[in-house]
Amino acid sequence: MRFEKKPMRCGRLICFVLMLSLLLSSLPVSASAGVNAKKAANQVNVLGSGVYRIRNASTERYIDAYDKAYDTKGSAYLDEKNGGEAQDIYVERLDDGTYVLRPQSESGKYVLSYRDGCEDGTIITKRTEIEKTEKFTIYSSGNGTYTVSPAATGSKSVTLGISEKTSRYKHNYLALTKYTGGGAQQWIFEPIEVTGISLAFVNTTVKLYSVGALYATLTPYNFGDRNVKWESSDEKILMIDDSGAYCALAPGKVRVTARSGDKSASCTVTVSSEAAFTWYSQHSVSNSDWNATALSGISFTAGGVRKKFMIDKYGRGRDWMDEGCYLASVAMILNNMGAKLTKGYDFRSGQTDNLPADPYTVALANSGNHGATTSKGVIYGNPILVSRSNIDARFNVNGKSISSQMTYGVTKKAIKEALDEHPEGIVVYFSRPSRGRTHYIVFTKCLNPEEKNTNNYKFEVCDSASYDAARGDHVQFEKSISYTSEGYRYSNAVSIITWNVNN
């Protein structure tokens, strides 16, 4: 769900541009494009991006890599097939034709590197940054095998091979070796097949004339584009392209289907003429507008404390989100704005970078993480101790940076004026010092804007503290769980937090 902040005519223009681009993509290619396509077709076995297990043609062993906890450099080595995540390697083809190799262990945050040099014998290690010493050139040998060389050399003078040196665990290291063309320098890339597909929601609502994207979760969870194709049951209501990007054209309901090979999954999408505000519950994995069910196996560790990120119902401190009202509130606003996490990975959708805002992706930005690669993992850093500067730095809206401000001195008049400037919603910070408690609530609109006495203003809120929608999702503040059960009043309001898109 996203709140389209632009005037309606701008939304129509965006939809028109999207439709035009889709139509143009279906037109016959030009002569020059045909020549380029013919050249591409003549390139034998060009390796595409995907997740592979990489097997040595001579030893039949697979590329693997140590976790940093066991080897400070995260050295790569050869081992028998063991089913470990480090043997699942996301091979990403970059725009310049080179590749980076990212083992899926340790949340997939490291890439293979030859930072110690391009000489014969250099052992391959892991590094977070992608610079020239992390790029490889992959040459097809024409017989189903490939040669992998450091792109920095511009040649096959040295290639990936097997070092005579062994680790303390008796594994031969993966190293650069002088090119001979022998079998020990030939590699077989075995693609990991998709065994299942599912969607984040059974039902979801988007706003008329809005644009956005839907995402599918694939099994196994892997980085990269897994060739998911999308279909809409009625493109007069909602047009969607093969990448999942949609444009809402008319009010109504459609059935959207995602397919990968012979696997498919569907959901109902409702296009509404009303503002599609987001509500995230910090306590429910299934009652609100985010895909929290899949997060049951994710834990965060901070300050010597390890807890699940999210459990269903009230955790009484057993999960981080039990106290995550601030994080959930920030995520609601960013999602309403259409903000995206510029760099990161979401195992739930299999998407890399430009991720929609929800409590999990905002937690990744807040704690300085890239993201777990599977549904079970441990991430380091405090996910709910909110640093707006960390979050603002990693999210943007249509390529533009965002910034947040906190204003003190809260009155009903101030809340309405802030909402007039920020139709995507605002966050109001509440404090009850006598009970040592604080809380954050998203205010979405003034229910009686024509009221002359500002003290009589009534407001609609999205309150993350509620487990069910009846006391949290678009309810009058006086009917929210924070008012009826937690005792928060306007007199407890301390400050208003808003976000802007920078020019």
Side-chain angles (χ1 to χ4, degrees):
M1 292 186 179
R2 290 176 182 82
F3 181 87
E4 180 56 46
K5 189 176 177 181
K6 298 181 178 66
M8 188 174 290
R9 61 178 180 275
C10 293
R12 288 175 172 153
L13 179 60
I14 293 172
C15 284
F16 173 75
V17 172
L18 179 60
M19 288 188 290
L20 182 61
S21 66
L22 293 174
L23 290 171
L24 288 176
S25 67
S26 66
L27 293 176
V29 296
S30 65
S32 60
V35 172
N36 291 334
K38 185 175 181 180
K39 286 182 179 179
N42 290 332
Q43 294 176 0
V44 180
N45 294 330
V46 174
L47 192 67
S49 295
V51 181
Y52 299 86
R53 294 187 183 98
I54 306 175
R55 175 164 54 92
N56 186 266
S58 176
T59 67
E60 298 295 314
R61 292 177 178 264
Y62 291 80
I63 294 179
D64 209 322
Y66 293 119
D67 286 356
K68 292 277 192 173
Y70 306 107
D71 181 293
T72 56
K73 289 190 173 183
S75 303
Y77 61 94
L78 279 295
D79 196 8
E80 295 179 354
K81 187 176 181 179
N82 56 34
E85 289 182 335
Q87 288 189 350
D88 297 346
I89 298 177
Y90 174 46
V91 180
E92 181 183 7
R93 191 171 192 269
L94 305 179
D95 291 340
D96 61 4
T98 63
Y99 296 80
V100 293
L101 311 180
R102 189 185 296 275
Q104 299 290 273
S105 56
E106 298 186 281
S107 297
K109 60 184 177 182
Y110 298 107
V111 294
L112 297 186
S113 170
Y114 46 94
R115 58 183 169 181
D116 293 329
C118 295
E119 295 77 20
D120 180 18
T122 299
I123 294 173
I124 302 300
T125 57
K126 293 194 297 190
R127 192 181 185 194
T128 53
E129 296 83 3
I130 298 178
E131 299 175 351
K132 64 179 181 179
T133 55
E134 285 67 52
K135 295 182 179 182
F136 293 87
T137 303
I138 300 179
Y139 302 91
S140 171
S141 300
N143 57 358
T145 65
Y146 295 84
T147 301
V148 183
S149 298
T153 64
S155 69
K156 291 194 291 186
S157 57
V158 289
T159 65
L160 283 189
I162 306 170
S163 173
E164 294 181 359
K165 295 182 180 180
T166 59
S167 70
R168 57 179 173 173
Y169 305 104
K170 308 303 180 184
H171 295 127
N172 288 91
Y173 286 117
L174 179 70
L176 298 181
T177 57
K178 186 176 180 180
Y179 179 69
T180 64
Q185 295 176 331
Q186 301 297 314
W187 302 93
I188 300 166
F189 287 73
E190 301 175 354
I192 298 176
E193 300 299 329
V194 173
T195 59
I197 184 172
S198 62
L199 303 182
F201 306 107
V202 176
N203 297 286
T204 190
T205 301
V206 299
K207 192 180 181 225
L208 182 64
Y209 304 122
S210 68
V211 294
L214 298 178
Y215 300 96
T217 301
L218 296 152
T219 305
Y221 297 108
N222 289 312
F223 275 76
D225 177 12
R226 302 297 297 181
N227 199 31
V228 176
K229 304 299 182 185
W230 294 83
E231 303 168 2
S232 169
S233 62
D234 189 343
E235 292 203 340
K236 293 181 180 179
I237 295 175
L238 186 115
M239 177 180 283
I240 191 165
D241 68 9
D242 283 343
S243 70
Y246 69 79
C247 180
L249 302 175
K253 291 185 178 182
V254 296
R255 197 70 178 163
V256 171
T257 302
R259 302 183 189 278
S260 182
D262 60 351
K263 305 294 188 297
S264 66
S266 300
C267 70
T268 298
V269 178
T270 300
V271 178
S272 171
S273 58
E274 299 294 324
F277 285 104
T278 299
W279 172 59
Y280 296 136
S281 170
Q282 68 192 85
H283 300 295
S284 173
V285 301
S286 58
N287 289 342
S288 62
D289 300 329
W290 66 303
N291 184 15
T293 305
L295 296 170
S296 60
I298 298 296
S299 298
F300 278 76
T301 296
V305 176
R306 176 175 173 177
K307 293 191 291 188
K308 294 287 187 182
F309 177 65
M310 177 81 176
I311 63 176
D312 198 45
K313 298 188 177 177
Y314 298 94
R316 299 185 183 278
R318 291 182 291 120
D319 65 310
W320 290 105
M321 283 303 292
D322 190 56
E323 299 177 348
C325 61
Y326 194 2
L327 185 84
S329 296
V330 173
M332 288 186 234
I333 299 297
L334 296 187
N335 190 280
N336 293 341
M337 295 173 66
K340 300 292 181 67
L341 178 64
T342 55
K343 296 291 182 182
Y345 174 70
D346 190 343
F347 70 88
R348 298 170 298 173
S349 63
Q351 300 299 307
T352 304
D353 301 338
N354 296 315
L355 305 175
D358 72 10
Y360 177 64
T361 58
V362 174
L364 294 179
N366 187 52
S367 58
N369 282 286
H370 188 269
T373 59
T374 69
S375 59
K376 296 181 180 179
V378 179
I379 302 175
Y380 293 88
N382 191 316
I384 64 166
L385 185 61
V386 170
S387 167
R388 296 201 319 273
S389 60
N390 284 355
I391 296 170
D392 293 353
R394 291 186 61 184
F395 277 87
N396 69 37
V397 176
N398 297 324
K400 295 183 178 180
S401 63
I402 63 173
S403 58
S404 56
Q405 303 81 32
M406 179 177 285
T407 305
Y408 291 91
V410 181
T411 63
K412 290 186 176 183
K413 180 182 178 181
I415 292 174
K416 182 184 179 300
E417 289 176 347
L419 285 172
D420 289 342
E421 290 292 324
H422 298 275
E424 71 277 2
I426 63 174
V427 177
V428 178
Y429 167 51
F430 292 81
S431 177
R432 298 185 67 190
S434 61
R435 300 187 61 181
R437 302 183 67 180
T438 60
H439 190 43
Y440 295 81
I441 302 174
V442 172
F443 280 62
T444 57
K445 68 179 179 181
C446 180
L447 296 172
N448 55 341
E450 303 303 323
E451 172 63 47
K452 294 181 179 180
N453 185 345
T454 60
N455 291 324
N456 292 332
Y457 283 149
K458 302 292 183 181
F459 296 96
E460 183 180 85
V461 301
C462 287
D463 188 353
S464 68
S466 181
Y467 178 79
D468 54 77
R471 293 200 291 172
D473 185 9
H474 298 81
V475 298
Q476 187 175 319
F477 175 60
E478 289 79 6
K479 295 180 181 180
S480 70
I481 190 172
S482 294
Y483 189 98
T484 59
S485 298
E486 302 300 325
Y488 286 101
R489 300 292 186 264
Y490 286 103
S491 58
N492 300 126
V494 176
S495 60
I496 295 172
I497 308 167
T498 58
W499 275 260
N500 289 305
V501 179
N502 302 319
N503 294 324

